[in-house]
Amino acid sequence: MVGDQPHRRLRDLARKHGPDVMRLQLGELSCIVISTPEAAKLVMKTHDKAFASRPRLLAADLVFYGSKSLTLAPYGEFWKHAQRVRSFRSIREAEVSDLVASIARAAAAGKAVDLSTMLPALTTAITSRAAFGKSQQLTTDRAFQVVFDNISEVLGGFAISDLYPSLKWLPALTGLKARLEKLRKASDSVLDRIIDDNRSRKSSATTAAESKGDDEENVLDILLNLQESQDAGVPITMDVIKAVTLELFMGGVDTSASTVEWSMSEMINNPRILHKAQQEVRQALGDDPSLHRLKYLDMVIAETLRLHPPGPLLVPRENRERQVELNSYVIPANTHVIVNAWAVNRDPRYWTEAERFVPERFVDRSIDYTGNDFQFIPFGAGRRMCPGVSFGTAVVKLTLASLLFHFDWSLPAEQKSINLTECFGATLRRQYALHLLPTQYCSVL
Ligand code: HEM
């Protein structure tokens, strides 16, 4: 019913049947769809606590160890502790400079590069170093890529068995259960190996400095320490540790990569904007390598996230405990809540020429990723908003600044413009791979 572009279809349906709050019956699932800033504020601020749980979905249950990850764990003490996502600056810089070197080789050979492959590879490398440390990077990069692509595909849509939870035999009949169990086994074996390695590295380290492992403390270290100190308020089991590290990949890889891809696509289609952003980067970074001065690039990123939020429908919520009154509608307990952030970010009552890519609209408007501007919610809002905002925006900004600083970009000869068709999945990616021709501008940053 919602088709392969559910964010668009739900926006169109909401315009007809319930601009603020629309009720949908999807199989046995009672669902409301939120499509305006006003209603989003009611769900994610006024009644944030009541709507802070995530519904239990089969794919998430099986792949994320019984919904024990950050996204799917019911709101509580554990979640507060588990949000310690750091910015990992040195890791970002090292990996982005490897990307620049490999694009430089293609540029020297006069070849186009496939950014749709290179950017997720970059964010996978950054995430696996942040999650497990440098020594595990190669193992995780290769093994996880396959598992992870499959998980993204499975989590991307509405599984028919989630719409009919009373039909317990449905997942087996559709083959979904077998597929999910296979995925769980594959990710389990990679994670078990990494955790064992990490433990034996720690126990064989003789000094505090050595026990820190590679370049800095990684997320696995943080979780294992929490487990040992029993400081988290809830038991940190091995399943929780695995679910959380797996979720860092789910949260961190495709979101940042697709934001960079969409930014590049929009800029190539708007050469004036590309030129302006490039001028700013080259002037500013010429004398001071601080990214803080890149105000126009910040606007380009914000405008990209407005039009192409990687999570167009956020992550569904649920009022598990009790019924809630919303805009004079009574929402019964256990209702599935979808916030259409994609529709909110394009609400024509608040955004002039809402469908156009115009970074300058942020000149007179602050860029607020804290979840307090309900007209602009690419990271969600409230208790369940994205904990990876700083990590994600830092990766996106450094990558874009480096691509713009080091290279001039053009379309391969046979192409006239970039096709902006979307592909809805666990994140909103481009339908077609982004191939661009780099020309080296300067070899030293
Ligand atoms: C441009 C980059 C990113 C965007 C646009 C983005 C967007 C989002 C959105 C929309 C949500 C759902 C929020 C809600 O339901 O209200 C979310 C949740 C989440 N994100 Fe991100 N994200 C990004 C990067 C990251 C990174 C880098 C990480 C981890 C390192 C991360 C980890 C998570 C986690 C763990 C959640 C679940 C939070 C919860 O349910 O409590 N994200 N993200």
Side-chain angles (χ1 to χ4, degrees):
M1 177 208 146
V2 284
D4 61 357
Q5 302 279 331
H7 51 301
R8 290 176 185 272
R9 179 90 176 105
L10 289 174
R11 193 255 322 249
D12 297 345
L13 280 173
R15 278 183 176 164
K16 259 198 198 158
H17 302 290
D20 279 315
V21 182
M22 172 173 69
R23 182 172 173 277
L24 281 184
Q25 187 68 32
L26 298 171
E28 295 169 1
L29 201 74
S30 175
C31 184
I32 57 166
V33 181
I34 302 297
S35 308
T36 61
E38 295 80 2
K41 189 172 177 183
L42 285 176
V43 168
M44 300 195 290
K45 185 167 181 182
T46 318
H47 300 290
D48 183 35
K49 196 165 180 197
F51 287 111
S53 285
R54 301 293 194 197
R56 296 195 71 153
L57 305 174
L58 180 75
D61 248 9
L62 280 178
V63 178
F64 288 107
Y65 303 84
S67 296
K68 291 195 174 65
S69 66
L70 293 181
T71 314
L72 301 144
Y75 178 72
E77 271 308 298
F78 158 68
W79 185 86
K80 287 189 212 155
H81 278 272
Q83 286 196 73
R84 288 174 56 187
V85 175
R86 301 166 168 214
S87 67
F88 296 106
R89 183 173 167 181
S90 59
I91 295 176
R92 280 195 317 263
E93 288 175 353
E95 294 300 329
V96 170
S97 94
D98 283 358
L99 173 77
V100 167
S102 96
I103 297 177
R105 286 193 290 278
K111 285 189 183 155
V113 290
D114 175 359
L115 288 180
S116 301
T117 307
M118 291 175 120
L119 292 169
L122 166 76
T123 50
T124 303
I126 294 175
T127 311
S128 63
R129 268 180 77 170
F132 307 121
K134 193 168 169 44
S135 55
Q136 298 293 350
Q137 194 182 349
L138 281 179
T139 327
T140 49
D141 278 8
R142 272 188 249 110
F144 256 171
Q145 197 70 56
V146 179
V147 177
F148 177 69
D149 285 351
N150 275 286
I151 296 178
S152 304
E153 200 188 311
V154 173
L155 288 181
F158 290 88
I160 194 84
S161 47
D162 286 324
L163 308 186
Y164 295 94
S166 71
L167 307 181
K168 304 282 181 221
W169 43 266
L170 201 55
L173 186 80
T174 57
L176 181 65
K177 191 157 181 256
R179 187 171 175 204
L180 291 171
E181 280 169 353
K182 206 168 146 204
L183 276 175
R184 155 89 179 246
K185 228 169 143 190
S187 69
D188 228 10
S189 84
V190 182
L191 288 169
D192 279 338
R193 198 153 22 104
I194 292 168
I195 292 169
D196 285 351
D197 279 3
N198 180 294
R199 285 207 159 124
S200 53
R201 204 163 29 86
K202 267 189 162 174
S203 62
S204 61
T206 49
T207 64
E210 276 176 49
S211 70
K212 274 186 90 184
D214 329 82
D215 29 17
E216 50 185 281
E217 191 184 33
N218 56 59
V219 171
L220 181 59
D221 288 334
I222 295 172
L223 288 168
L224 290 171
N225 288 341
L226 261 181
Q227 185 187 42
E228 234 173 77
S229 64
Q230 301 182 351
D231 254 0
V234 290
I236 302 281
T237 62
M238 283 326 285
D239 277 2
V240 169
I241 291 181
K242 288 181 193 171
V244 170
T245 46
L246 198 57
E247 192 177 74
L248 281 186
F249 281 83
M250 289 306 301
V253 171
D254 273 357
T255 45
S256 315
S258 88
T259 305
V260 177
E261 254 188 273
W262 283 114
S263 271
M264 289 301 287
S265 309
E266 288 283 8
M267 284 193 283
I268 295 287
N269 278 356
N270 294 280
R272 177 194 66 81
I273 297 172
L274 176 65
H275 182 70
K276 195 168 164 184
Q278 202 149 37
Q279 289 274 94
E280 179 191 64
V281 170
R282 287 178 181 169
Q283 268 165 20
L285 299 193
D287 20 280
D288 169 14
S290 154
L291 297 182
H292 290 111
R293 295 167 60 198
L294 304 179
K295 300 294 176 213
Y296 189 66
L297 189 60
D298 284 334
M299 294 182 220
V300 168
I301 295 168
E303 183 67 343
T304 305
L305 287 166
R306 186 183 72 81
L307 284 179
H308 308 285
L313 302 179
L314 304 185
V315 180
R317 292 170 168 238
E318 191 179 85
N319 52 335
R320 188 159 300 164
E321 304 290 325
R322 58 180 175 90
Q323 71 171 39
V324 179
E325 199 169 316
L326 209 64
N327 252 7
S328 75
Y329 300 107
V330 174
I331 314 294
N334 295 315
T335 299
H336 194 101
V337 183
I338 294 174
V339 178
N340 191 344
W342 180 89
V344 168
N345 292 352
R346 291 172 185 236
D347 190 326
R349 291 174 303 149
Y350 300 107
W351 301 96
T352 319
E353 294 191 272
E355 304 295 320
R356 279 189 59 214
F357 186 81
V358 186
E360 284 76 5
R361 66 175 82 245
F362 285 98
V363 169
D364 299 321
R365 182 189 177 114
S366 67
I367 297 172
D368 184 348
Y369 294 135
T370 62
N372 285 306
D373 177 355
F374 286 88
Q375 295 162 15
F376 179 54
I377 46 171
F379 293 96
R383 287 172 167 81
R384 299 318 292 257
M385 82 169 280
C386 177
V389 180
S390 327
F391 188 53
T393 47
V395 168
V396 168
K397 191 168 181 184
L398 176 66
T399 309
L400 277 170
S402 306
L403 294 181
L404 295 175
F405 184 88
H406 289 285
F407 306 101
D408 290 325
W409 293 94
S410 55
L411 286 163
E414 67 281 6
Q415 244 181 290
K416 294 228 170 345
S417 67
I418 304 274
N419 182 325
L420 297 179
T421 307
E422 298 160 338
C423 174
F424 185 90
T427 53
L428 192 66
R429 298 284 309 270
R430 291 175 40 77
Q431 172 86 46
Y432 304 105
L434 180 63
H435 293 274
L436 292 177
L437 204 56
T439 307
Q440 179 101 42
Y441 165 72
C442 174
S443 59
V444 192
L445 188 63

